[in-house]
Amino acid sequence: MLVLDAVVRSYAWGSRTALARLRGDAGPSAHPEAELWFGAHPADSAHVRGGDAPGDGRRSLLDVIESDPVGQLGADVLARFGPRLPFLLKLLAAEEPLSLQAHPSRDQALEGFDREEGAGIPLDSPIRNYRDRNHKPEVVVALERFDALAGFRDPMRTVELLGAIGVPELDPHLGLLRGQPDEAGLRALFTTWITMPQAMVHRLLPKVLEGCIGYLAGHGNGGEFAAEARSTLQIGEAYPGDVGVLSSMLLNRVTLEPGEALYLPAGNLHAYLHGVGVEIMANSDNVLRGGLTPKHVDVPELLRVLDFHSVPATPTEGVAAGARERVYLSATPEFSLSSIELRGGCVELSGAGPEILLCTQGAVRAECDGVKTDVVETTIHATQALWVPASSGPVTLTAVPRNHVQEPSAGAGGPQAQIFRARVGAA
């Protein structure tokens, strides 16, 4: 069991205060902190501290696994996925909307990666779509109120939304859905918009935004489609002149309350709007973008990957697995994610690694009776994590006062803490 130091990704849409607040920092961070990566992706591996690491006592998790795949991953995981950690865990803080994006299936990723390799496109090229051969299904769990767009809305409901904002210039576009309220109609309208000449976008988009303002004003800042109208205005302000603002109106608008989760399978067009959450995915960085970004948008490839079936975006609360643990279900063998609430007493986790234990609230003391070592003990605070290899023994977790000072919120039940547990999914 070793402390795992995350890689910080400082994208412009990140927050200077959200992760700093979780850490207990007095002020904002120097740069926007968008994502903390806890994993072993070749593009940016986290680092472990301690053990037999040379120099500054840190080694990349990627190197640790490559040097001892059986001890780190276990024979079963090694046989199923090869000598790599099959999942990537992230802590995400979105201050502004992210790009519209979708991820490929495994077959699409394999074909796309080999095609781009054959074409000689460098892995770090800005026009590269496939940076590995893996799919990227995801689960995100809200730590705070979390707003997102996910999956295509029922076409007739979208017809009602676009009709409600009362923009005559949208009537020809609405006809595509009215006449064919299914995935074919959604594909036709989405394709029309994403391939629209920029001059037409500049004429149509202001009318749509004016319609959203008018809708909110006419309904006392409320109304049936108030959330959708406000989100469109928010996105339009963040990405002026971007055709993705129009496309975003075709998607389900969903709000996750703390502890609620959303599963995003392959082909699901989505965008996170605002909030802080824990995200787990298959160990991949394959992204097909659909707008709301200055980065490369490969329209033909995106259309090949997208699933245009309308699906509801339904938050889930996870399933109880004992008194203190909740498991967020998905049909993905690469990962399993659960949360553990600690208050008084302790929780023992059986040695079924590899695992990453991420603290998101309070402070946690972890004790491990290693198979090859004496008892290892360490304390981690919010935004810190532990790497638990397959060769490790059981880990005991106990909430402790943060910074050795009893917190006011602890109360009579003792200190409180929260841990997210990332593991490999069942076979």
Side-chain angles (χ1 to χ4, degrees), residues 25-99:
D25 293 349
S29 59
H31 305 284
E33 294 178 310
E35 295 177 343
L36 302 184
W37 283 26
F38 299 91
H41 191 279
D44 237 343
S45 175
H47 287 74
V48 296
R49 269 189 266 156
D52 57 356
D56 63 358
R58 297 173 76 246
R59 290 178 65 195
S60 80
L61 182 57
L62 192 65
D63 289 343
V64 170
I65 291 172
E66 287 180 349
S67 66
D68 180 21
V70 175
Q72 299 298 316
L73 300 177
D76 178 65
V77 171
L78 185 62
R80 290 170 62 193
F81 299 104
R84 64 183 182 87
L85 185 65
F87 62 81
L88 175 61
L89 183 69
K90 297 181 181 180
L91 188 54
L92 177 147
E95 191 69 26
E96 296 180 357
L98 280 67
S99 62

Side-chain angles (χ1 to χ4, degrees), residues 316-341:
T316 62
E317 295 183 345
V319 176
R324 304 187 188 186
E325 187 170 9
R326 300 193 70 82
V327 178
Y328 298 97
L329 301 178
S330 75
T332 304
E334 282 88 349
F335 62 75
S336 172
L337 182 67
S338 60
S339 61
I340 300 172
E341 303 295 327

Side-chain angles (χ1 to χ4, degrees), residues 76-232:
D76 178 65
V77 171
L78 185 62
R80 290 170 62 193
F81 299 104
R84 64 183 182 87
L85 185 65
F87 62 81
L88 175 61
L89 183 69
K90 297 181 181 180
L91 188 54
L92 177 147
E95 191 69 26
E96 296 180 357
L98 280 67
S99 62
L100 282 173
Q101 57 188 264
H103 308 299
S105 68
R106 184 180 284 105
D107 287 344
Q108 290 166 339
L110 284 168
E111 189 278 329
F113 183 90
D114 290 343
R115 173 165 31 92
E116 292 185 341
E117 285 288 281
I121 303 173
L123 277 176
D124 59 355
S125 168
I127 66 169
R128 181 90 186 207
N129 295 312
Y130 299 96
R131 302 184 187 279
D132 52 66
R133 291 185 172 91
N134 205 14
H135 65 162
K136 194 184 175 185
E138 302 173 344
V139 169
V140 61
V141 182
L143 296 180
E144 303 174 0
R145 185 181 175 93
F146 194 95
D147 296 321
L149 303 172
F152 287 99
R153 187 189 301 107
D154 179 270
M156 290 311 299
R157 189 67 174 160
T158 295
V159 168
E160 294 173 7
L161 164 64
L162 298 180
I165 64 174
V167 178
E169 289 83 355
L170 280 177
D171 288 346
H173 306 275
L174 272 173
L176 293 172
L177 278 188
R178 284 198 184 102
Q180 203 169 13
D182 55 20
E183 59 269 21
L186 283 169
R187 177 182 284 274
L189 180 52
F190 181 84
T191 304
T192 298
W193 280 350
I194 200 170
T195 58
M196 184 183 294
Q198 192 61 43
M200 292 183 63
V201 175
H202 284 311
R203 289 196 296 269
L204 179 59
L205 190 51
K207 300 290 185 181
V208 171
L209 298 178
E210 289 171 10
C212 291
I213 293 171
Y215 176 87
L216 291 171
H219 292 80
N221 209 36
E224 186 178 5
F225 297 109
E228 288 81 359
R230 282 195 292 268
S231 291
T232 303

Side-chain angles (χ1 to χ4, degrees), residues 407-426:
E407 294 176 307
S409 61
Q416 297 182 59
Q418 182 183 57
I419 285 281
F420 276 81
R421 184 186 191 190
R423 295 181 288 170
V424 178

